[in-house]
Amino acid sequence: MTQDSTGTIRTAPTPDEELGALRRELRALTDHREISELVARLGRWLDGRCLGDADALFTPEAVAVTPGGTDEGRTRLVEQAQQHHAHYHRLQHSMAHLLVEQDGDRASGQANLTAVFVENDPPAVRVLAGDYRFGFVRTADGWRFSRIEIRPTWMSTASQVVLIPQPAGA
C-alpha cells in the first residue's frame, strides 16, 4: 500500500493487473508499428506506379479522396492511382509525422505529405504538399486502409529538372 499526496491509500496492482496492462501496451505499440509500416508501404506502392499487391494495402470497400477525384472500392482506387501516376518519369511520396488514434479494430490517422512528380517531356517537376487523412481497419490479414484523403495545402512547379542516373535494378 502507498499513500499519495492527498492522503488516499492505494494498493499496488496485482501481478495479473500488471500483466494485463503490459499486454495492452504491447498490443498498442505493435498496432502503431504495423500501421506506420502500412503508411510507408503506401508511399512505396505509389512510387512504384501502383503495381503490386493492393490487397495488402486496402480493404475491398476502401475510399480515396484525392486531387484526382473520389473513388470507392479497391479496384477503382487502384485504377485511379495508376491513371494519375503512370505518365511520370519519377515519383516520390514522403509521409511524415504520423499520428494515430486507435479504437479497437479501427483507427484514424493523419500525416504530412510531400509528393514530387517528375515529367520527361517536357522536363518539369511538380511538388505537392498537404495532409493525408487515413482510416484503418484491422483485418484477419493485418491492418488495411479503409479511407485515404489528401488535403493539398500548396503546390510548386519548375521547368528545370536534373535527373540523376540510377543504378541498374533501382
Side-chain angles (χ1 to χ4, degrees), residues 57-130:
L57 294 171
F58 309 106
T59 62
E61 65 282 351
V63 174
V65 180
T66 73
T70 300
D71 282 292
E72 186 171 346
R74 183 188 298 137
T75 301
R76 279 294 307 134
L77 191 150
V78 171
E79 289 169 355
Q80 183 215 87
Q82 288 175 338
Q83 176 187 359
H84 291 284
H85 290 84
H87 68 280
Y88 291 105
H89 181 65
R90 297 210 181 130
L91 299 161
Q92 187 170 18
H93 292 75
S94 299
M95 282 81 87
H97 310 295
L98 175 65
L99 298 174
V100 176
E101 290 188 27
Q102 187 177 342
D103 185 13
D105 290 339
R106 296 197 167 274
S108 61
Q110 77 179 67
N112 292 342
L113 165 68
T114 305
V116 180
F117 306 87
V118 178
E119 297 182 47
N120 251 355
D121 192 18
V125 65
R126 181 175 62 146
V127 178
L128 174 71

Side-chain angles (χ1 to χ4, degrees), residues 16-95:
D16 285 343
E17 290 170 332
E18 284 182 342
L19 183 58
L22 287 171
R23 284 184 176 147
R24 286 187 297 279
E25 185 174 347
L26 180 59
R27 176 80 263 161
L29 290 169
T30 301
D31 287 339
H32 192 278
R33 180 188 52 79
E34 290 174 4
I35 289 170
S36 295
E37 288 178 6
L38 180 65
V39 170
R41 285 196 317 271
L42 173 67
R44 293 292 172 110
W45 182 78
L46 291 166
D47 293 346
R49 304 219 177 21
C50 315
L51 302 174
D53 188 10
D55 293 1
L57 294 171
F58 309 106
T59 62
E61 65 282 351
V63 174
V65 180
T66 73
T70 300
D71 282 292
E72 186 171 346
R74 183 188 298 137
T75 301
R76 279 294 307 134
L77 191 150
V78 171
E79 289 169 355
Q80 183 215 87
Q82 288 175 338
Q83 176 187 359
H84 291 284
H85 290 84
H87 68 280
Y88 291 105
H89 181 65
R90 297 210 181 130
L91 299 161
Q92 187 170 18
H93 292 75
S94 299
M95 282 81 87

Side-chain angles (χ1 to χ4, degrees), residues 1-3 9-12:
M1 278 195 246
T2 60
Q3 189 171 4
I9 297 177
R10 305 204 182 271
T11 59

